[in-house]
Amino acid sequence: MTRTALTRLTLTDFRSYGRAELPLDGRPVYLIGPNGAGKTNLLEAVSLLTPGRGLRGASLAEMGRRLPGEGQGRAWAVAATLEIDGEPVRLGTGTEVAGAVRRTVRLEGETVPPGRLADHQRQVWLTPAQDRLFLEGAGDRRRFFDRLVFAAEPAHAAHASAYEKSQRERMRLLTDGPADPDWLSALEARLGEAGALMAAARARTLSALQNEIDERGDRPFPQARLSLSGPWEQMAGQGVATEDIEARLVAALASARERDAAAGRMLTGPHRGDLEVIHAEKDRPAAECSTGEQKALILNLVLGQAARLSRAESGPNPILLLDEVAAHLDRRRRAALFDEITALKLQAFLTGTDEHLFEDLKGRAQGVHVDGSSLAYLDTE
Ligand SMILES: Nc1ncnc2c1ncn2[C@@H]1O[C@H](COP(=O)(O)OP(=O)(O)OP(=O)(O)O)[C@@H](O)[C@H]1O
């Protein structure tokens, strides 16, 4: 386990912030301020220190500071110092021109591919956008679960993007008219390889997460029974070798060309997998539970993954981003959440509109008042 903690965060022309600096001591951080004060903006900035589009999935142009009368957002930057086993490393990301469609990532001043951020950063997050996770389509649940997989296995993102690229190309060939069968076979071979690796990684995370949740049995969050509904993930979960899943997926795709062409989409493969969550004590699907219970179930998954990663033998310990979570929990669950965060020594970033929500965390965390564009420490000792 590599101990990592952000010790300084600097935002430049990012969302509502002109220039803001936040020195950190590695303990959890709670951000308080009224609606619209810029709390989520700050969490989003932290989330951009990992590869991907951050916790809002926003475009780069949207994130640049836009003042009244300015047509487009400015070029923006998020810089951080990350201590890795006590050694400071400088990380930075942002755009170099206003409205840019590409972002740059710097590690110790050198430009590197965004994927390199995953060498030093693991993050797990929960935001209000996930409140309806159990009620809406499979796509959001798949993305939510894939993020948990990605936090454990950064290569998952590369497999998923290789898969999506080949999927789009295969559909284009199938729908654009007579397709070159050799080219189709080559794409299906790539889909088989990336798809089998994705299914295997999802099955590994599912089983490790289920064990973690089972062991955490006495915590005041509802117990969950997890499963993945896709046949490819199920095969992986039953111990079918990855090469065999790959061969079966390639064969299934080859025999489904006409059907997929007629449907205009690929009808089988891990892009269709879904995460199913059952409230174990009630033996009821999450979608049929109360709003508060659903929130506590998702939190149990997110915390379970953070706990598992924080005890892993290798890799950086995770940073946890919890946007507007505290306000949705009763006091007992809130206290349990804070105890867990401090016991695991997680650098968590939590937001809320009222200071009293974090009463039980005082003395164990840094409190920050967020006010539109400035940040001020609260006296929390
Ligand atoms: N590109 C931008 N340029 C300038 N301001 C922006 C930009 N994007 C968002 N904002 C502003 O940031 C504010 C929203 O901040 P944020 O979502 O962080 O609030 P919050 O403190 O999390 O609020 P809540 O408690 O309501 O969730 C809004 O006032 C919005 O206008």
Side-chain angles (χ1 to χ4, degrees), residues 14-17 33-42 56 61-67 73 128 323-324 351-353 370 372:
F14 182 80
R15 297 268 190 198
S16 48
Y17 298 93
N35 294 137
K39 304 179 295 294
T40 308
N41 293 347
L42 200 123
R56 280 189 173 117
E62 266 175 273
M63 294 187 276
R65 189 169 190 227
R66 210 175 42 253
L67 295 176
D323 193 14
E324 281 181 49
T351 67
T353 48
V370 181

Side-chain angles (χ1 to χ4, degrees), residues 13-15 41 44-45 47-48 52-66 71-78 93-95 97-104:
D13 283 330
F14 182 80
R15 297 268 190 198
N41 293 347
E44 185 182 35
S47 74
L48 290 164
R53 296 176 65 178
L55 56 72
R56 280 189 173 117
S59 71
L60 296 172
E62 266 175 273
M63 294 187 276
R65 189 169 190 227
R66 210 175 42 253
Q72 62 176 1
R74 300 178 178 190
W76 56 268
V78 174
T93 187
T95 59
V97 288
V101 289
R102 256 179 186 281
R103 75 159 158 154
T104 46

Side-chain angles (χ1 to χ4, degrees), residues 48-128:
L48 290 164
L49 297 169
T50 60
R53 296 176 65 178
L55 56 72
R56 280 189 173 117
S59 71
L60 296 172
E62 266 175 273
M63 294 187 276
R65 189 169 190 227
R66 210 175 42 253
L67 295 176
E70 287 184 359
Q72 62 176 1
R74 300 178 178 190
W76 56 268
V78 174
T81 306
L82 181 75
E83 270 193 22
I84 305 178
D85 286 337
E87 286 294 314
V89 171
R90 286 176 297 127
L91 300 178
T93 187
T95 59
E96 285 180 350
V97 288
V101 289
R102 256 179 186 281
R103 75 159 158 154
T104 46
V105 170
R106 290 213 166 82
L107 196 58
E108 290 291 34
E110 302 245 328
T111 302
V112 296
R116 287 285 306 281
L117 290 169
D119 300 346
H120 304 289
Q121 284 278 303
R122 294 190 210 233
Q123 292 186 10
V124 185
W125 62 62
L126 183 58
T127 75

Side-chain angles (χ1 to χ4, degrees), residues 9 158 224 293 298 315:
L9 197 64
E293 284 171 335
I298 306 178

Side-chain angles (χ1 to χ4, degrees), residues 258-272:
E258 268 181 41
R259 215 162 41 104
D260 286 355
R265 63 201 166 97
M266 212 162 102
L267 294 168
T268 190
H271 61 290
R272 306 206 53 187

Side-chain angles (χ1 to χ4, degrees), residues 62-266:
E62 266 175 273
M63 294 187 276
R65 189 169 190 227
R66 210 175 42 253
L67 295 176
E70 287 184 359
Q72 62 176 1
R74 300 178 178 190
W76 56 268
V78 174
T81 306
L82 181 75
E83 270 193 22
I84 305 178
D85 286 337
E87 286 294 314
V89 171
R90 286 176 297 127
L91 300 178
T93 187
T95 59
E96 285 180 350
V97 288
V101 289
R102 256 179 186 281
R103 75 159 158 154
T104 46
V105 170
R106 290 213 166 82
L107 196 58
E108 290 291 34
E110 302 245 328
T111 302
V112 296
R116 287 285 306 281
L117 290 169
D119 300 346
H120 304 289
Q121 284 278 303
R122 294 190 210 233
Q123 292 186 10
V124 185
W125 62 62
L126 183 58
T127 75
Q130 289 150 352
D131 283 354
R132 294 184 55 78
L133 196 71
F134 299 124
L135 305 176
E136 294 187 343
D140 287 343
R141 274 186 302 279
R142 203 163 42 238
R143 275 186 288 280
F144 165 80
F145 187 67
D146 274 343
R147 271 218 57 86
L148 298 183
V149 178
F150 169 72
E153 302 190 30
H156 186 61
H159 300 144
S161 86
Y163 182 93
E164 277 164 29
K165 199 164 159 241
S166 301
Q167 183 189 351
R168 276 195 306 273
E169 182 68 8
R170 175 177 175 276
M171 282 318 300
R172 198 184 56 75
L173 285 191
L174 285 177
T175 49
D176 276 5
D180 172 359
D182 289 343
W183 186 218
L184 271 176
S185 299
L187 289 170
E188 285 159 3
R190 276 187 224 160
L191 280 164
E193 189 187 355
L197 290 168
M198 282 164 68
R202 285 179 183 159
R204 273 193 297 274
T205 288
L206 188 96
S207 127
L209 190 53
Q210 183 71 68
N211 288 342
E212 179 70 41
I213 290 173
D214 292 347
E215 280 172 23
R216 295 154 45 86
D218 56 343
R219 310 286 158 93
F221 297 104
Q223 284 296 91
R225 269 202 320 274
L226 313 176
S227 58
L228 288 163
S229 65
W232 311 101
E233 289 85 350
Q234 284 181 359
M235 276 181 221
Q238 286 153 9
V240 177
T242 309
E243 309 82 76
D244 293 338
I245 299 176
E246 177 178 340
R248 287 193 221 179
L249 182 52
V250 172
L253 291 170
S255 65
R257 288 177 189 172
E258 268 181 41
R259 215 162 41 104
D260 286 355
R265 63 201 166 97
M266 212 162 102

